[in-house]
Amino acid sequence: MSTDAALKVDPDQLPADVGVLKSLVVQLVETLNERDRRIAKLEHHMDLLVRKVYGRTSEKLDPQQLPLFEKQVADGGEPPVIDQSAAETPSTSSAKRRRGRRKKPDTLERRDVVHDLNEAEKQALAAGGQLVLIGEEVTEQYEWEPSCLYVLRHVQKKYVCRPVLAKDGQPAERQIITAAKPPQPIPGSSAGAGLLAYLLTSRFCDHLPYHRQERIFGRHGLRFSRQTTCDWARQLAELCGPLYRLMIDEVLASDVLHSDDTPVKVRDAHQKRQYLGRFWNYVGDEEHPLTVFAYTPDRARDGPAEFLKRYRGYLQADAYGGYDRIFTDSRGAIVEVACWAHARRNFFEARTSDALRAQTALAFIGQLYKIERALGERSQTEWRELARPERAAKIAQHRQEQAQPVLQQFAAWLDAEAPRLLPKEPIRQAIEYARNQWTALNRYCDDGRLAIDNNAAERALRGIAIGRRNWLFCGSDRGGHTAAVHFSLVASCLRHGLDPFAYLRDVFTRLPVLLAGAHKPGDLRHLLPDRWPVQ
């Protein structure tokens, strides 16, 4: 029976007893309240769905909503010192966007196009006199030429020794000598280091799938099939295997490690399977500034557990349940650090169901981020020349003095509000997430090397999130492992402001030579993105 039909009651059929009528009214009120809660929940879910599909991803707040928090505090106690800038955004960047045209880089080639009067114009304008050149007016504009696909011919000179008489007077055997060609990235392949670097940069940095690159090269008069380019990518991942394992060792030597994961569709044509794989990233600290990706065919705990089995230090991540066993099994060797951005997001999404409480929580969290922005500015200015341990000690000291009082007030507010809410309400779920993670959320105050959130790992995943809209899926688990190697190289390049194409072209040129000779793993360290020079 529908709700409207249930509310159509014939007065003649109502009981005459007052007590029964009171009970009926109570039941009707409870039914209406339950319906209102269900409608509010559905509206909340609809708002989230519409915002994720059509809305902005920004989590900035309207400053005009801040008086809600002020009213709440006026009813219940003294407020922490909070301004509008603290509640707007957790971003740590305060620099304003520059307006106007930027200066053109001096590294670009300049080509002059001279515009002059012709002889007829000079004679007409001179009017019997003489025109004198007094200067030039120079304006610059950017120009573009299509990239060039060319054939590199390796010409190996061949020599033969002239016949030499042996001791018995007979001519000696002729010996043919061919000049050696340097080891190639893919032995026997028709692709050179520059072409391979361009293919991988387009695929893993610019998010161009192989079938689009196939059409692009077709416009140059040559087609490389996507099967061929996939095979090239796999062989290059095998070539870079020693460098990739060295990157893992460097990242695992960090004191602080950020980690996150994102799903990827896998469509294995050979096994006729479709499933969700996972890319995990591991972001090293400032002394080991590399970003490494790993692939697993599912989101089971075994993937990160295997990767982190040799790690000792802080691990900052979300509240994924698979990490709990890792923290337990390590017996304190891996210390959990939670993410305030995740906690904040839950309150932000609960605004449509309980605006007052959500705004109050966001104001508390905004105050924490305001403190972090001030510490970040001081780290870049007056503390910039300090050694890392000294700078970390100062940051921890200021967090204890400034952030801890805010955290204590926030904890008291969470404990007071939780019992007043139903378990299924979005705001109650946001509160319970923060309470369950409270120890890990407060841990960043104990050590200045820690960040307030896990945004470093989330930013590193952004390339995959954008790219999978174009290339859609991985073709197999082997393809996932191949992509993880190349994503690691490209992400580490971008972290240091390097041109991925220049880096990969140089690595594909020098790495085969190093691997062909006797070498130790440490001999490849100068090829890591954080140490790579152009030679």
Side-chain angles (χ1 to χ4, degrees), residues 378-417:
R378 298 184 71 177
S379 298
Q380 295 297 323
T381 54
E382 58 182 292
W383 298 342
R384 184 173 183 177
E385 302 301 326
L386 296 178
R388 187 188 181 205
E390 297 178 7
R391 186 169 66 249
K394 286 186 173 294
I395 293 174
Q397 178 185 352
H398 281 75
R399 285 174 176 170
Q400 292 288 336
E401 296 173 354
Q402 301 175 21
Q404 277 295 342
V406 178
L407 289 168
Q408 292 173 2
Q409 295 180 54
F410 192 20
W413 181 85
L414 293 173
D415 293 339
E417 294 298 323

Side-chain angles (χ1 to χ4, degrees), residues 343 346-348 350 414 425-435:
N346 295 330
F347 289 109
F348 183 85
L414 293 173
E425 292 186 67
I427 189 65
R428 174 66 182 273
Q429 294 176 358
I431 289 176
E432 290 303 325
Y433 177 93
R435 295 177 71 194

Side-chain angles (χ1 to χ4, degrees), residues 143-270:
E143 190 52 273
W144 172 263
E145 288 184 357
S147 57
C148 178
L149 177 66
Y150 63 94
V151 176
L152 184 65
R153 299 175 65 238
H154 292 273
V155 181
Q156 297 173 260
K157 298 292 186 179
K158 299 176 69 174
Y159 298 90
V160 62
C161 293
R162 291 182 177 179
V164 180
L165 294 178
K167 294 181 180 180
D168 56 0
Q170 298 296 325
E173 183 179 356
R174 290 189 175 187
Q175 183 178 7
I176 298 177
I177 303 173
T178 303
K181 182 175 68 174
Q184 299 300 302
I186 303 177
S189 173
S190 59
L195 174 61
L196 295 171
Y198 176 78
L199 285 169
L200 296 189
T201 302
S202 299
R203 172 63 169 75
F204 297 100
C205 181
D206 301 330
H207 320 301
L208 279 177
Y210 293 131
H211 70 272
R212 293 184 189 173
Q213 296 190 53
E214 184 178 354
R215 293 200 302 268
I216 292 172
F217 283 111
R219 294 199 296 268
H220 291 270
L222 186 63
R223 287 188 177 272
F224 299 113
S225 69
R226 69 198 71 175
Q227 291 83 3
T228 299
T229 50
C230 284
D231 193 50
W232 286 347
R234 176 186 60 79
Q235 294 181 74
L236 290 173
E238 295 174 356
L239 170 71
C240 296
L243 193 61
Y244 174 68
R245 290 188 288 272
L246 185 59
M247 293 177 66
I248 294 176
D249 293 339
E250 286 287 316
V251 166
L252 292 179
S254 301
D255 297 322
V256 180
L257 202 59
H258 293 261
S259 180
D260 204 353
D261 66 284
T262 189
V264 59
K265 294 180 180 178
V266 182
R267 296 183 180 178
D268 195 325
H270 296 288

Side-chain angles (χ1 to χ4, degrees), residues 316 336-340 436-444:
Q316 190 155 20
E336 179 184 10
V337 184
C339 172
W340 270 107
N436 293 336
Q437 296 288 312
W438 193 251
T439 301
L441 285 171
N442 281 257
R443 190 156 281 133
Y444 83 100

Side-chain angles (χ1 to χ4, degrees), residues 44-104:
H44 171 67
H45 290 167
M46 182 62 71
D47 179 76
L48 291 179
L49 178 62
V50 171
R51 192 169 70 87
K52 289 182 179 179
V53 175
Y54 300 108
R56 298 183 304 171
T57 57
S58 173
E59 296 179 2
K60 292 185 179 180
L61 298 177
D62 184 356
Q64 296 179 357
Q65 295 178 337
L66 198 60
L68 292 172
F69 169 73
E70 297 172 352
K71 180 180 181 301
Q72 170 73 8
V73 175
D75 295 338
E78 292 294 328
V81 180
I82 295 177
D83 59 15
Q84 293 184 3
S85 63
E88 287 179 356
T89 174
S91 173
T92 57
S93 175
S94 59
K96 296 182 179 179
R97 291 186 177 181
R98 296 182 179 179
R99 299 181 179 271
R101 294 183 178 179
R102 296 182 179 180
K103 180 182 177 182
K104 296 178 175 61

